[in-house]
Structures are given as C-alpha cells and as structure tokens.
Amino acid sequence: MGLLPSTGAGAVNAMQDAVILANHLYDIKPTSFESIKQALSDFKEERFDAVKEQYPQAEFAAQLQFGHTLWERVLRHILFNWIPKSMQLKRMTKDNAYRPQANFLPQAPKRGTLDVISQKPSKRIQKEKEEEEAKKHAVTVL
Ligand SMILES: Cc1cc2nc3c(=O)[nH]c(=O)nc-3n(C[C@H](O)[C@H](O)[C@H](O)COP(=O)(O)OP(=O)(O)OC[C@H]3O[C@@H](n4cnc5c(N)ncnc54)[C@H](O)[C@@H]3O)c2cc1C
C-alpha cells in the first residue's frame, strides 16, 4: 500500500519533500562531506516519520472511499453523514497546519483563518545574523 493518489498525498508530499530538502541544502555552509551528510540526515529526520505515519492513514482512507465490504460501506455512511461538521473541521485544521515554506525566501503571509505550524528558521541565516551582531558589537566596543 502506498500513499493514496486520490487524496493528492503523493504530489503534496513530493512538494513538501522538495521544500524541506532545499531548506537543508541551503544550510550547507561551508561545503564539506560532513556538512552534506548532516544536511541529508537532518532532512531524513524531519520527513521520514511524518511520511511513514501517513501510510496507515492512506490505507484507512482507501477503505473509506473505495471499500466494498459491508463493514466498509457502513463505516463510509457513518463517517460521511453522521460525523458533526465541527469534528470534520477540527481534523481538517490539524491536517492543513503543516505548510512548510522555503526558509531562505521572504515568507508568504498567512491569509486564511486556520492555524499554521510555525516555520523552522534556517540555521545558516541564524548563524549569519549572529555573526553580523557579533561584528557590530565588536565595532561598538572598539
Ligand atoms: C500511475 C500513478 C498515478 C498517480 N496519481 C497521483 C495522483 O492522482 N495524485 C497524487 O497526488 N499523486 C499521484 N501519484 C503519485 C505521484 O506521482 C508521486 O508521489 C510524485 O510524483 C512523487 O514525486 P517525486 O518528485 O518525489 O518523485 P518523481 O516524480 O518520481 O521524480 C523523481 C525524478 O527523478 C528522476 N531520477 C531518478 N533517479 C535519477 C537519477 N539517478 N539521476 C537523475 N534523475 C533521476 C526520475 O526520472 C524522476 O523524473 C501517482 C503515481 C503513479 C505512478
């Protein structure tokens, strides 16, 4: 069982992978074997479990949308007709909160009303800012 195509999970995860990988590649500085290894391992750490978690969810969603057994049909009827809108909205809010952006570009503003998980800052930009501050401080002291 893979991710479910009809939910767009393949495409969404491919784009999220690309954004997160770009963020980690941007942080490679100075370029060395160790820093490349670190960036790829950080990428795996950030994405692997999050994607793995989606496989059982995709299997359940497939049963729910396309299952033909009596149990699957009953479950579909209950979930699509009886679950209150507030619970559906809660689920949707949770699922849509993860919207990573390229952290080395100006951030797209939040225009909607749903929550957004805050963006992990770029390690490289943070380090460069700290170095800049330290330089300014050194000049002021002199
Ligand atoms: C039949 C089918 C239907 C699908 N339908 C949907 C759908 O309706 N909705 C949905 O969301 N998802 C769908 N998916 C899943 C979706 O297409 C994939 O999850 C998504 O394309 C993965 O994107 P990716 O960039 O990670 O990998 P890929 O799209 O596989 O891109 C990887 C690229 O790397 C290239 N490559 C590989 N190895 C090398 C190498 N050594 N050197 C250079 N290049 C290399 C490949 O040629 C390829 O172009 C479907 C998949 C299939 C097979």
Side-chain angles (χ1 to χ4, degrees):
M1 180 77 203
L3 294 174
L4 190 60
S6 61
T7 60
V12 167
N13 277 287
M15 287 185 268
Q16 291 176 342
D17 274 346
V19 168
I20 301 297
L21 182 60
N23 286 346
H24 287 293
L25 294 181
Y26 181 82
D27 281 345
I28 299 176
K29 201 180 174 194
T31 312
S32 66
F33 180 64
E34 276 314 311
S35 58
I36 293 171
K37 234 171 52 174
Q38 187 63 48
L40 295 178
S41 137
D42 289 347
F43 167 66
K44 184 176 173 191
E45 193 179 312
E46 193 167 342
R47 289 294 293 154
F48 191 79
D49 287 339
V51 176
K52 205 170 139 191
E53 260 177 32
Q54 295 179 42
Y55 279 75
Q57 287 173 21
E59 194 168 347
F60 181 63
Q63 279 180 322
L64 204 60
Q65 289 178 33
F66 307 113
H68 288 289
T69 66
L70 179 65
W71 164 240
E72 286 162 343
R73 285 158 60 192
V74 169
L75 192 65
R76 178 158 55 239
H77 185 81
I78 293 172
L79 282 172
F80 289 152
N81 295 286
W82 295 356
I83 296 290
K85 284 270 176 291
S86 59
M87 270 179 81
Q88 291 176 17
L89 183 68
K90 205 170 163 192
R91 178 80 229 180
M92 199 173 81
T93 306
K94 191 168 176 272
D95 289 349
N96 291 307
Y98 181 63
R99 292 179 229 164
Q101 301 188 38
N103 60 13
F104 47 89
L105 295 174
Q107 299 294 287
K110 182 186 165 201
R111 296 196 190 91
T113 51
L114 299 183
D115 291 338
V116 181
I117 295 171
S118 59
Q119 178 78 34
K120 247 188 185 176
S122 157
K123 281 187 204 166
R124 174 174 157 188
I125 292 176
Q126 272 186 318
K127 199 170 160 226
E128 283 170 356
K129 267 189 193 155
E130 280 165 19
E131 284 168 0
E132 196 62 34
E133 283 300 315
K135 254 190 215 163
K136 270 188 204 159
H137 184 70
V139 170
T140 323
V141 169
L142 284 173

